[in-house]
Amino acid sequence: MTRQTMTGSSTIERIEALIDRPDLLHSPPEVAQSLLQLTKNDDFGLHEIVDCIRADPAMSSRVLHVVNSSRYGLKTSVTNLHQAVSLLGERSIRLIAMTFSIANAFSTGAARELYNDFWRQALTTAAAARRLAVHLGGVDHNDAYTTGLLSHLGTLVFAQVEGEKYLSLYRSTSRERLFHLERQKYGIDHVDIGARVLSKWQFPDVICDAVRNHRKAELEDPLTMIVHGGTLVSDALWYSGDESIATCRGWLKDRFDLTIDEFIELALACRDEVQLELEVYGVDADMPVDPEELLEQARRRYMESSLTTALDFDSYGSVFGEE
């Protein structure tokens, strides 16, 4: 057995031990998972949500903190949980449930170092996935949002288990290559780890499978395809460059038939939404790519692609003697 194989096996064992810790699962099955199930049904009652949140004092405090934040601009403070839930609405309650759960589970040690970057990616992927689900149809947009939000969860688990060694790997490469380097070094990647955690938390198989497979661009499963698209939008916004924008633009055109204007509208809508969410949930983040820069890069790539196509047709005509 090679040293690298031994390192990978040891890491996987420690990850499995972490996932199996009872205290790690305090919030998701007790409160957050109940909230997610309740808000998925169209006929849920407000009192059911309030009763569920009241079962966890820390969650109650979090809800009141969010509703009294500057984002909502209320003239008087809200101290009544029933009123807070009514003002926040379904999507915000779902988001609070997930952020609170993940914050409790993976916010210490080296994982804390990745926390801000995790939320930048998670919120952007979720926002794009929700919009793509509406565009595609046939997939519940709430499921798309939740799956996108959780698609990078495994990076926090990796950091908690491997500490500075994983942080060095994470910071040294692109998000696309990270997946392959994790496999090479540890024999497992963060998307598989995230899927294992969600399975342990008793999330539906369709969500676990989409998290596990969302980096595979060739898959046809609608939810997996939507989350993959959301990840590409996140890469284009936060790790801007000609290559990431071109990849995102081309893939969304092929799979979702998005025009260049629809692509830019999607990216900028996600950008605006995520900036608000980051502020509300207390995440420090650098500004994503400037909209004018994104517009310019996307249009430049579009023009280059059009020119290449025209030149190809011109060459074709020259070869075959067409006039």
Side-chain angles (χ1 to χ4, degrees):
M1 181 180 293
T2 65
R3 182 182 181 86
Q4 185 174 352
T5 302
M6 291 176 63
T7 299
S9 298
S10 175
T11 300
I12 293 172
E13 289 173 1
R14 293 199 301 275
I15 287 171
E16 290 176 344
L18 177 66
I19 293 173
D20 286 337
R21 274 173 39 195
D23 60 305
L24 182 67
L25 302 178
H26 168 70
S27 186
E30 296 297 328
V31 176
Q33 186 69 356
S34 297
L35 283 173
L36 291 173
Q37 290 301 320
L38 279 172
T39 55
K40 191 172 182 179
N41 298 322
D42 293 334
D43 59 348
F44 70 88
L46 190 63
H47 69 281
E48 294 178 284
I49 301 296
V50 173
D51 289 344
C52 185
I53 294 173
R54 278 186 179 141
D56 191 326
M59 179 77 82
S60 300
S61 176
R62 181 68 166 170
V63 168
L64 290 171
H65 170 76
V66 170
V67 79
N68 286 303
S69 69
S70 59
R71 175 182 180 182
Y72 291 91
L74 301 178
K75 294 181 179 179
T76 57
S77 296
V78 174
T79 57
N80 181 289
L81 193 58
H82 194 282
Q83 184 184 5
V85 171
S86 179
L87 288 168
L88 286 170
E90 168 196 334
R91 194 170 70 83
S92 290
I93 289 297
R94 289 171 65 87
L95 182 56
I96 292 169
M98 292 315 308
T99 57
F100 186 82
S101 301
I102 297 171
N104 276 355
F106 306 110
S107 60
T108 60
R112 186 69 193 177
E113 297 295 316
L114 294 186
Y115 200 63
N116 290 334
D117 194 51
F118 167 80
W119 281 115
R120 284 195 296 264
Q121 292 185 73
L123 289 168
T124 309
T125 302
R130 179 165 57 84
R131 286 172 170 81
L132 290 173
V134 172
H135 178 86
L136 183 67
V139 174
D140 184 275
H141 65 88
N142 287 320
D143 283 351
Y145 189 91
T146 299
T147 309
L149 194 69
L150 298 169
S151 57
H152 301 288
L153 177 61
T155 58
L156 296 181
V157 183
F158 246 136
Q160 193 149 325
V161 170
E162 286 295 286
E164 189 59 42
K165 289 187 292 184
Y166 181 73
L167 290 181
S168 298
L169 179 70
Y170 184 91
R171 293 166 178 157
S172 69
T173 188
S174 66
R175 300 290 77 82
E176 181 62 35
R177 278 187 49 76
L178 179 64
F179 173 86
H180 302 290
L181 291 177
E182 289 168 345
R183 279 274 172 192
Q184 184 179 358
K185 185 175 179 62
Y186 299 111
I188 193 171
D189 56 68
H190 69 268
V191 295
D192 190 39
I193 291 171
R196 293 190 189 195
V197 173
L198 297 179
S199 179
K200 185 72 175 180
W201 283 352
Q202 299 178 354
F203 274 76
D205 288 343
V206 65
I207 290 180
C208 297
D209 290 342
V211 167
R212 180 179 290 108
N213 296 316
H214 79 272
R215 274 297 184 181
K216 300 175 181 177
E218 72 279 3
L219 291 185
E220 298 293 335
D221 171 69
L223 182 57
T224 302
M225 190 169 66
I226 284 168
V227 177
H228 181 79
T231 300
L232 293 180
V233 172
S234 176
D235 290 347
L237 279 174
W238 291 105
Y239 309 102
S240 177
D242 280 0
E243 184 178 350
S244 62
I245 291 175
T247 299
C248 181
R249 158 72 182 134
W251 195 87
L252 290 178
K253 180 178 183 298
D254 290 342
R255 293 302 186 96
F256 291 87
D257 198 28
L258 290 189
T259 66
I260 185 170
D261 290 331
E262 288 173 330
F263 162 65
I264 293 169
E265 181 182 355
L266 168 67
L268 298 187
C270 292
R271 174 188 183 272
D272 292 342
E273 176 180 328
V274 170
Q275 283 181 295
L276 286 173
E277 301 290 9
L278 291 172
E279 179 184 347
V280 168
Y281 295 99
V283 178
D284 296 325
D286 297 328
M287 293 284 285
V289 62
D290 181 77
E292 293 301 324
E293 179 185 349
L294 180 70
L295 179 66
E296 176 59 29
Q297 290 191 45
R299 290 198 181 279
R300 185 172 71 247
R301 295 296 299 187
Y302 178 74
M303 292 302 294
E304 288 173 356
S305 176
S306 298
L307 178 59
T308 300
T309 301
L311 290 173
D312 286 344
F313 275 116
D314 185 56
S315 298
Y316 179 90
S318 298
V319 170
F320 291 94
E322 295 182 358
E323 297 183 2

